[in-house]
Amino acid sequence: MAIERAAVIGAGVMGAGIAAHLANAGIPVDLLDIVPTGADQRSTIAERALANLKKAKPAAFMQRRAARLVTPGNVEDDLGRLAEADWIIEAVIENLEIKRDLYARIETVRKPGSIVSSNTSTIPLAALVDGLPERFAGDFLITHFFNPPRYMRLFELVGGAATRPEALAEIRDFADRRLGKGVVACNDTPGFIGNRIGIYWLQCAVSEALEAGISVEEADAALGRPAGIPKTGVFGLIDLVGLDLMPHVLASMEQRLAPDDPFHEMFTVPERIEKMIADGYTGRKGKGGFYRLNTAGGRRVKEVIDLATGDYGPVRRPRPASVAAAKRGGLRALVEHDDPVGRYAWRVLARTLSYAASLVPEIADDIVAVDEAMRLGYNWGKGPFELIDRLGTGWFAERLAADGLPVPALLETAAGRPFYRVEQGRLEFLGIDGNYRAVERPEGVMLLADIKRLGEPLARNGSASLWDIGDGVLCVEFHTKMNAMDPDILALLRTALGTLGNEYRALVLYNEGEQFSAGANLGLVMFAANIAAWDQVEAMVKEGQETYLALKRAPFPVVGAPSGLALGGGCEVLLHCDAIQAHAESYVGLVEVGVGVIPAWGGSKEMLLRWQREKRRPGGPMPPVAQAFETISLAKVATSAAEARDLKFLGADDGISMNRDRLLADAKARALALADGYVPPEPATLTLPGPSAKAALDMAVHGFRLQGKATAHDVVVGGVLANVLSGGDTDVTEELDEEALLALERAGFMRLVRDSATQARIEHMLETGKPLRN
């Protein structure tokens, strides 16, 4: 049965978020909750939840209109609507009797073959279906989302003894392809994988810090970047999740885990956290948590709590010697260092990693599932077994034994061998029987990381590489910091263009970094500006224009495949592709005005062309100019690939991949489809209104200046942008080719980059990562 309609029962934060993400996938969904006693509006809980979803930050919906797919209701009046649902998700309070009573009611109305699942992570599946009809048990499973459901990729899937294999397969495929989840099969154990290890890790980190007198910032410095764990660190992550959730989760785990589980040693909720919760310091959703924002001298100042006294003080960002050692020598250098922070890091990692190793095969059949769950559910850069490999399995086992800690059986099975190895170009993992097996990817998943293990690139330099991804398709991979565009990337793109011919049929632009490209390398621009090397700056601008135009006019298709940020020059390269296959979580925009310049690698030109291709509207050539000016001058950034379509960064025919792991395969398929009978686009021409349009745009910008919505330099940048988009000295009787618009872009960029106010903006961005409003 295909899933074409869904229902979520329970309109709390998690249930509402699940409903929103189903809507993101284009699925109509009913969101139901109870009828509050004495309420005038019987569906007020679900209605309020939907209203909150529309205002949520970060956004729950990928497009505002997706909210129309969510229909609020209540379980008294609207239970009959479940008869239309193919998948019914229960996300109510963690109370077994309440859930079982609800299931009995669902069973009376649901249609045959519909799938019912619970979002629980603490109640065993067997207990949930005990005593319920055989038909219900066959269609029932657990689908554990992580919060917020749109952004957290982990999806833990648990089936029971009676669950139909077809139901599990249907949900696995739907969650993977339509919801973009990394589906991890778990055994029916408390906390499954993510929370079983993640909660233990958080509790261990907090307890050890309190006992050893390690400050919040020291703990986060040690257990953040050096361990490949989120940059928030431990305490920052607890602030994000909410301190008030910890006692509830800990109590639930304590109740359901076996008496001899090491988790019980970590169970106590520290008094400091109890007091913080009582005082309303529950994290980001409250008055603050371990960190808070305070107002001092009219400015917002970030402060951090002293765990010993409970007082807040300014953030100091300490740099312990052990953390400095980790930058040079890696993870083992951190935990071998004998300063207090190094000893703290060892105690936390030793307990957490050995605990994870002791849980296989109890919680999952293999180590791959455990590592994937921690990467996707807790944003670890590497899973527990990958981290043990960084330390060395033999070294880790010996250090545990030397400290009097238990050595898990799986470590003894490894006997000094790594948990992962590459054999003949294929990644393998160590099974619980001591034999290695290949890491299998789901059908339709292609990872550049796997391709790179098989051989060398066709070409490479310090900023980019060119890979053969099969079937006559090449792939350009960026690998600078934040994948910032620089002359070496441009050079590699030209190499790729020269490589394609009879043997190769298409080109894909793709990488597996956190960001597709955060824009041009501003450091190079600033360095050249500081020495007044204006000829070099202009040459770099011209080189980018020519390279991108060559991509557009190449005799073979070019497909851009972004994920994460695609800003400035990273956006412009996409605008010159024949097609874009974007990950759903792509954040695309032309943000150059924030650093005092304009898009000058063809971005201004391409936005004009995209708006001109809209269905003809009354008003002549002015509407496309005004639309492009608004998008660029306000530095609009799409908060999803779907929104990028609305802003014309993506075209109506461009594709969106919900699952990040399927992006490369989808982009390759799109490139091959275009390659058959491919004809490059004809050079474009534009008819632009000229000085009259510039005058109108200038008046609008000055109006914003008078209202305090634009700064003095915004007026200058806006004037240059208006000149480019209106076509300079042209008029509506002339046609301008693309080269003419590029010349206007280049001249405008050079006019601005010489301006001291623009240089101040660039310098401020490089130093702080934030725009300067001058």
Side-chain angles (χ1 to χ4, degrees):
M1 176 185 293
I3 295 171
E4 298 177 351
R5 188 175 186 89
V8 177
I9 305 176
V13 172
M14 179 61 82
I18 293 171
H21 197 51
L22 287 163
N24 289 332
I27 300 297
V29 54
D30 290 299
L31 178 61
L32 310 182
D33 211 300
I34 62 171
V35 178
T37 303
D40 294 332
Q41 298 294 326
R42 292 175 61 80
S43 300
T44 186
I45 294 177
E47 290 168 351
R48 187 167 59 245
L50 179 57
N52 289 336
L53 284 172
K54 294 176 181 178
K55 299 180 292 184
K57 298 292 183 183
F61 292 110
M62 292 180 175
Q63 266 179 317
R64 289 183 180 180
R65 57 180 172 269
R68 301 172 193 165
L69 293 173
V70 180
T71 304
N74 67 78
V75 292
E76 300 298 330
D77 306 325
D78 305 310
L79 199 68
R81 291 182 358 211
L82 300 185
E84 303 174 25
D86 303 304
W87 182 14
I88 302 165
I89 302 170
E90 168 269 302
V92 303
I93 189 172
E94 292 290 86
N95 180 295
L96 179 59
E97 294 309 314
I98 290 175
K99 290 178 186 286
R100 286 168 51 80
D101 177 68
L102 178 60
Y103 300 156
R105 297 177 64 194
I106 291 172
E107 181 64 3
T108 65
V109 295
R110 75 183 183 96
K111 65 183 178 183
S114 63
I115 298 170
V116 183
S117 70
S118 174
N119 188 59
T120 186
S121 67
T122 59
I123 303 176
L125 186 148
L128 292 170
V129 299
D130 185 34
L132 290 168
E134 183 178 336
R135 185 185 87 138
F136 184 88
D139 293 333
F140 185 82
L141 39 86
I142 289 176
T143 52
H144 184 221
F145 291 79
F146 275 62
N147 195 42
R150 170 183 166 181
Y151 299 96
M152 299 304 294
R153 290 187 58 206
L154 179 58
F155 182 92
E156 293 179 318
L157 181 64
V158 181
T163 305
R164 293 184 296 114
E166 298 84 359
L168 283 166
E170 181 69 37
I171 294 300
R172 172 185 284 276
D173 187 70
F174 181 86
D176 172 349
R177 297 176 186 272
R178 297 291 298 277
L179 299 182
K181 298 300 180 184
V183 181
V184 175
C186 306
N187 296 332
D188 190 14
T189 58
F192 307 132
I193 300 174
N195 283 344
R196 181 75 174 271
I197 298 170
I199 297 301
Y200 179 91
W201 162 62
L202 292 174
Q203 182 69 2
C204 180
V206 172
S207 299
E208 290 287 353
L210 287 165
E211 182 175 332
I214 300 296
S215 74
V216 166
E217 290 187 274
E218 288 173 329
D220 284 349
L223 296 179
R225 294 183 188 277
I229 290 167
K231 61 183 180 181
T232 58
V234 172
F235 289 95
L237 181 60
I238 295 172
D239 275 355
L240 184 62
V241 173
L243 277 73
D244 53 332
L245 291 180
M246 286 191 65
H248 299 292
V249 176
L250 290 171
S252 176
M253 298 287 282
E254 195 272 342
Q255 180 183 357
R256 299 189 180 279
L257 289 173
D260 61 346
D261 193 284
F263 185 92
H264 296 294
E265 301 171 10
M266 301 289 174
F267 168 65
T268 305
V269 179
E271 290 183 11
R272 172 61 58 207
I273 292 181
E274 288 182 337
K275 186 174 189 315
M276 290 173 68
I277 295 170
D279 292 342
Y281 286 93
T282 55
R284 295 190 186 181
K285 64 185 177 182
K287 297 189 293 185
F290 297 106
Y291 297 93
R292 73 175 184 185
L293 287 175
N294 196 17
T295 301
R299 297 179 58 197
R300 299 282 277 173
V301 178
K302 189 175 183 180
E303 297 181 336
V304 62
I305 198 169
D306 184 319
L307 292 174
T309 66
D311 297 328
Y312 284 89
V315 168
R316 300 185 184 282
R317 294 185 175 84
R319 293 291 181 266
S322 53
V323 174
K327 289 184 177 181
R328 299 186 299 272
L331 185 61
R332 195 192 290 189
L334 172 72
V335 298
E336 285 186 321
H337 202 282
D338 197 35
D339 72 354
V341 174
R343 294 193 296 271
Y344 163 76
W346 164 250
R347 286 194 300 271
V348 175
L349 289 174
R351 285 162 173 75
T352 302
L353 300 182
S354 62
Y355 184 55
S358 73
L359 294 176
V360 178
E362 176 191 345
I363 60 175
D365 294 339
D366 56 52
I367 66 172
V368 178
V370 173
D371 281 343
E372 186 169 12
M374 294 309 296
R375 288 195 306 269
L376 300 181
Y378 279 81
N379 284 335
W380 285 21
K382 295 185 179 297
F385 294 96
E386 293 170 311
L387 287 174
I388 293 174
D389 274 355
R390 284 180 63 186
L391 294 171
T393 56
W395 179 90
F396 186 61
E398 290 174 6
R399 179 79 184 267
L400 289 175
D403 284 7
L405 297 171
V407 178
L410 201 54
L411 269 174
E412 294 179 341
T413 299
R417 295 176 295 165
F419 283 116
Y420 292 93
R421 72 178 187 184
V422 176
E423 192 72 13
Q424 296 182 341
R426 294 199 66 186
L427 182 64
E428 296 182 339
F429 70 95
L430 187 68
I432 58 175
D433 61 357
N435 296 317
Y436 284 98
R437 294 173 176 79
V439 174
E440 301 291 344
R441 307 297 185 196
E443 183 182 354
V445 167
M446 174 185 285
L447 299 181
L448 191 58
D450 290 340
I451 292 170
K452 291 162 71 171
R453 292 188 188 98
L454 294 171
E456 295 297 316
L458 299 179
R460 73 171 298 147
N461 57 37
S463 299
S465 299
L466 181 64
W467 299 94
D468 182 343
I469 60 174
D471 301 311
V473 181
L474 297 183
C475 174
V476 170
E477 173 201 21
F478 312 150
H479 42 69
T480 57
K481 183 178 181 181
M482 298 284 284
N483 287 324
M485 308 296 290
D486 67 9
D488 280 349
I489 288 180
L490 298 178
L492 202 286
L493 287 171
R494 293 194 299 276
T495 297
L497 293 175
T499 302
L500 272 90
N502 294 330
E503 185 178 355
Y504 299 106
R505 307 171 59 206
L507 178 66
V508 170
L509 311 182
Y510 166 91
N511 63 71
E512 287 169 0
E514 189 174 345
Q515 317 299 351
F516 175 75
S517 174
N521 187 329
L522 291 175
L524 294 177
V525 176
M526 196 64 209
F527 174 78
N530 284 336
I531 60 173
W534 305 120
D535 288 347
Q536 292 183 26
V537 174
E538 186 164 8
M540 188 166 64
V541 175
K542 196 168 191 292
E543 182 182 20
Q545 291 180 336
E546 292 174 346
T547 302
Y548 285 7
L549 194 59
L551 282 176
K552 181 177 181 179
R553 295 177 177 174
F556 44 78
V558 179
V559 175
S563 178
L565 296 178
L567 303 178
C571 173
E572 289 177 294
V573 75
L574 295 175
L575 295 177
H576 288 79
C577 293
D578 293 283
I580 298 172
Q581 184 71 36
H583 179 223
E585 297 297 346
S586 293
Y587 314 120
V588 188
L590 296 170
V591 296
E592 285 85 348
V593 296
V595 290
V597 293
I598 61 169
W601 279 351
S604 302
K605 163 182 69 75
E606 288 299 316
M607 290 309 295
L608 274 174
L609 288 170
R610 285 172 178 245
W611 281 108
Q612 276 200 350
R613 285 195 293 265
E614 282 286 282
K615 292 181 180 178
R616 296 300 177 191
R617 303 174 183 174
M622 188 60 191
V625 173
Q627 292 280 10
F629 183 82
E630 179 182 335
T631 300
I632 297 171
S633 65
L634 296 180
K636 289 186 177 181
V637 176
T639 60
S640 69
E643 192 174 286
R645 274 189 181 144
D646 296 337
L647 293 173
K648 299 293 180 288
F649 296 126
L650 267 64
D653 297 329
D654 288 330
I656 296 176
S657 300
M658 291 294 283
N659 194 320
R660 177 70 173 81
D661 292 343
R662 295 185 177 276
L663 179 58
L664 180 56
D666 291 347
K668 177 184 173 182
R670 185 69 189 278
L672 287 171
L674 290 171
D676 292 331
Y678 177 76
V679 177
E682 292 290 332
T685 59
L686 302 97
T687 302
L688 297 171
S692 61
K694 181 183 184 308
L697 295 175
D698 284 344
M699 286 178 62
V701 173
H702 279 285
F704 283 124
R705 172 65 172 148
L706 292 174
Q707 297 171 42
K709 296 179 180 178
T711 68
H713 197 50
D714 289 337
V715 174
V716 175
V717 177
V720 172
L721 178 62
N723 184 65
V724 172
L725 296 178
S726 61
D729 292 330
T730 189
D731 62 52
V732 293
T733 65
E734 298 180 16
E735 283 192 344
L736 297 177
D737 60 19
E738 293 181 72
E739 285 80 1
L741 261 293
L742 291 175
L744 284 171
E745 283 186 2
R746 192 164 61 250
F749 184 95
M750 294 307 300
R751 149 78 176 83
L752 290 168
V753 79
R754 287 182 168 92
D755 194 309
S756 60
T758 286
Q759 293 169 23
R761 285 192 177 189
I762 295 174
E763 191 169 0
H764 189 269
M765 178 63 74
L766 290 171
E767 290 178 355
T768 69
K770 299 176 181 178
L772 174 65
R773 304 291 294 148
N774 61 343

